[in-house]
């Protein structure tokens, strides 16, 4: 009755998805939904028919949370209470889909998880532009299990009776944020996690180590690629050159001498690359930022005033040269900046060069906000890249 997932594949079961389709089609066919442009009560595990929202959101809630317990007769959606209980009960128990009847809380991290994975879930495909329903077999059914693991982390309270919004995922996110903000070592994070685990009530769901917290957050899908670099910044050992041992230009060795009988080779220099495409996609996956990504094309400025790069003559000249790109306001305009600094102070000769991208689609108050400055490349030095910065940009340009 409550098995929403197929145990063999980790995906939503065919019975559950078929039941959700059946329910949404029924709800949309009723006069209540037709009078309210496709809006009706949401019978998910959290809303429990108390929220009156659009059908697209109801569909998303049902797939991510499951049905509320014992809702076998759809009385809130137009079904008569005196219907044949055998049909209502037997045929619909498989769509309840609740993994458990425990305490489920609303958590801001639930929205973050749904935003992060909505690239695989095109709920709008279920509705025509006029709001009418269409039955589509695709989107959510092939969700990977890691999405639901992460969603469970967002819905799992730390312990029975904890404050609303305090979930396993929210604590892991706060821990990892503090690690980054205060330069905490992994050993210190392990110690902190152990303290939380010991001092919170027995049976709590807190992650017990840095590894567990990092593994939970890693499911959000923000990868980082480490690429070896020639010591003279001639080339990066990447793609076709990934397995060679010497620079193709200066013939310098890729690896340090292995004097300590290490199991793996250590390169002289490395760079870190964080892919940008998924982060840009998420600007449109979040309802909070999708509209702002069209601001550059929709805002109006006074003649002769420039409050944003899109008001400049250079921007308009670029659009004149690339009219097909310019005609779609959702296309992304990226600004790139970089500068070098010594992270260890003047006592040590070392040069670190981060490359940062920002989408200039956003309004002025957002595009210079720290959370929209995307760190994409880090060149760790120790040498100044000088005229070789384009070498480090290869993965970015390729992507």
């Amino acid at each position: 009755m409550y098995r929403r997932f197929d145990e063999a594949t980790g995906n939503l079961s065919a019975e559950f998805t078929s039941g959700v389709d059946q329910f949404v089609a029924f709800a949309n066919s009723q006069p209540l939904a037709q009078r309210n442009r496709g809006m009706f009560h949401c019978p998910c595990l959290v809303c429990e028919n108390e929220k009156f929202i659009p059908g697209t959101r109801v569909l998303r809630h049902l797939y991510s949370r499951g049905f509320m317990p014992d809702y076998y007769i759809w009385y809130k959606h137009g079904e008569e209470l005196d219907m044949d209980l055998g049909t209502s009960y037997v045929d619909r128990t498989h769509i309840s889909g609740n993994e458990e009847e425990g305490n489920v809380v609303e958590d801001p991290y639930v929205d973050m998880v749904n935003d992060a994975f909505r690239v695989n879930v095109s709920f709008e495909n279920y509705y025509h532009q006029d709001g009418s329903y269409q039955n589509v077999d695709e989107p959510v059914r092939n969700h990977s299990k890691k999405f639901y693991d992460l969603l469970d982390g967002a819905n799992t309270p730390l312990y029975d009776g904890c404050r609303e919004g305090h979930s396993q995922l929210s604590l892991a996110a706060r821990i990892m944020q503090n690690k980054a903000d205060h330069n905490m070592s992994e050993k210190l994070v392990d110690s902190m996690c152990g303290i939380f685990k010991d001092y919170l009530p027995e049976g709590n769901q807190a992650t017990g180590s840095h590894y567990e917290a990092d593994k939970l957050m890693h499911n959000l899908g923000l990868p980082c690629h480490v690429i070896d670099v020639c010591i003279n910044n001639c080339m990066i050992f990447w793609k076709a050159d990934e397995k060679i041992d010497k620079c193709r230009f200066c013939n310098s060795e890729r690896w340090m001498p292995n004097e300590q009988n290490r199991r793996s080779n250590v390169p002289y220099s490395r760079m870190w690359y964080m892919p940008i495409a998924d982060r840009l996609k998420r600007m449109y996956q979040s309802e909070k930022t999708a509209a702002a990504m069209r601001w550059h094309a929709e805002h109006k400025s006074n003649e002769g005033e420039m409050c944003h790069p899109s008001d400049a003559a250079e921007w308009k000249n670029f659009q004149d040269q690339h009219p097909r790109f310019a005609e779609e306001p959702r296309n992304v305009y990226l600004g790139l900046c970089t500068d070098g600094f010594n992270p260890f102070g003047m006592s040590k000769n070392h040069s670190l060069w981060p490359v940062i991208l920002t989408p200039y689609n956003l309004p002025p108050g957002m595009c210079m906000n720290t959370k929209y400055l995307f760190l994409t490349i880090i060149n760790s030095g120790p040498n100044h890249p000088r005229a070789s910065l384009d070498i480090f940009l290869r993965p970015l340009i390729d992507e």
Side-chain angles (χ1 to χ4, degrees), residues 269-298:
S269 183
R270 282 175 172 169
M271 63 170 284
W272 284 260
Y273 177 65
M274 287 143 278
I276 191 69
D278 285 342
R279 288 185 281 175
L280 294 176
K281 287 177 183 177
R282 289 181 189 181
M283 302 294 288
Y284 288 106
Q285 291 158 17
S286 170
E287 296 175 1
K288 299 180 180 66
T289 54
M293 287 292 283
R294 301 191 305 272
W295 184 91
H296 71 100
E298 297 173 353

Side-chain angles (χ1 to χ4, degrees), residues 1 17 29 43 54 62 67 69 98 179 193 204 207 213 258 297 310 386:
M1 171 176 175
T17 53
S29 68
L62 292 177
F67 273 79
N98 304 319
K179 177 183 185 299
C193 290
N204 66 80
T207 53
N258 193 349
S310 61
R386 303 189 187 279

Side-chain angles (χ1 to χ4, degrees), residues 292 295 307-309 358-373:
W295 184 91
C307 64
H308 187 269
T358 185
Y360 278 140
N361 298 47
L362 299 171
M366 294 178 68
C367 66
M368 290 293 106
N369 192 304
T370 304
K371 62 183 177 182
Y372 300 116
L373 298 176

Side-chain angles (χ1 to χ4, degrees), residues 88-360:
S88 299
Y89 183 86
V90 175
D91 291 351
R92 294 178 186 164
T93 53
H94 65 274
I95 67 173
S96 293
N98 304 319
E99 290 297 279
E100 56 184 23
E101 298 184 27
N103 181 27
V104 179
V105 299
E106 282 280 15
D107 191 321
Y109 288 90
V110 173
D111 293 332
M112 176 183 71
V113 174
N114 279 316
D115 286 345
F117 283 85
R118 200 176 301 167
V119 64
N120 297 323
V121 188
S122 181
F123 292 97
E124 289 73 11
N125 290 340
Y126 278 78
Y127 287 83
H128 295 290
Q129 290 185 350
D130 61 0
S132 61
Y133 175 78
Q134 61 176 343
N135 189 353
V136 179
D137 288 335
E138 200 46 37
V140 190
R141 355 207 124 168
N142 294 324
H143 251 334
S144 62
K145 190 175 183 300
K146 70 177 183 178
F147 165 72
Y148 294 104
D149 289 342
L150 200 61
L151 195 63
D152 285 343
N155 278 323
T156 302
L158 274 177
Y159 53 88
D160 292 339
C162 73
R163 288 175 55 187
E164 184 174 343
H166 284 189
S167 64
Q168 182 188 49
L169 181 65
S170 67
L171 178 60
R174 290 284 296 274
I175 290 172
M176 299 305 288
Q177 181 66 47
N178 276 277
K179 177 183 185 299
D181 289 345
H182 304 293
N183 197 25
M184 296 162 56
S185 66
E186 292 185 11
K187 189 173 290 187
L188 178 55
V189 174
D190 284 338
S191 177
M192 281 181 54
C193 290
I195 292 173
F196 282 123
K197 195 74 176 174
D198 292 341
Y199 278 80
L200 289 175
E202 187 175 353
N204 66 80
Q205 300 298 317
T207 53
S209 65
H210 171 270
Y211 172 77
E212 292 179 11
D214 185 57
K215 184 179 179 181
L216 184 63
M217 297 303 298
H218 187 73
N219 286 337
L220 281 172
L222 299 174
C224 178
H225 303 302
V226 182
I227 304 173
D228 296 344
V229 182
C230 168
I231 192 172
N232 296 317
N233 296 331
C234 302
M235 62 172 286
I236 60 175
F237 297 93
W238 182 64
K239 283 199 170 180
D241 301 323
E242 185 176 3
K243 295 184 178 180
I244 65 176
D245 295 325
K246 291 186 177 182
C247 175
R248 291 191 290 106
F249 300 97
C250 68
N251 210 34
S252 297
E253 293 288 342
R254 175 180 180 177
W255 313 109
M256 293 183 180
N258 193 349
E259 298 174 352
Q260 300 175 354
N261 296 320
R262 293 184 293 260
R263 292 186 178 181
S264 59
N265 293 321
V266 178
Y268 279 102
S269 183
R270 282 175 172 169
M271 63 170 284
W272 284 260
Y273 177 65
M274 287 143 278
I276 191 69
D278 285 342
R279 288 185 281 175
L280 294 176
K281 287 177 183 177
R282 289 181 189 181
M283 302 294 288
Y284 288 106
Q285 291 158 17
S286 170
E287 296 175 1
K288 299 180 180 66
T289 54
M293 287 292 283
R294 301 191 305 272
W295 184 91
H296 71 100
E298 297 173 353
H299 83 286
K300 294 182 179 179
S301 58
N302 298 327
E303 187 69 28
E305 293 183 4
M306 191 178 82
C307 64
H308 187 269
S310 61
D311 301 327
E314 290 80 358
W315 186 290
K316 296 178 174 60
N317 180 58
F318 174 84
Q319 291 188 320
D320 290 340
Q321 293 181 25
H322 306 278
R324 291 189 61 187
F325 183 87
E327 68 184 9
E328 173 52 75
R330 292 172 295 181
N331 284 337
V332 183
Y333 296 77
L334 292 174
L336 182 148
C337 62
T338 184
D339 197 4
F341 67 98
N342 188 340
F344 305 111
M346 300 305 293
S347 61
K348 189 171 182 180
N349 184 20
H350 194 101
S351 183
L352 182 69
W353 285 74
V355 174
I356 297 171
L357 294 177
T358 185
Y360 278 140

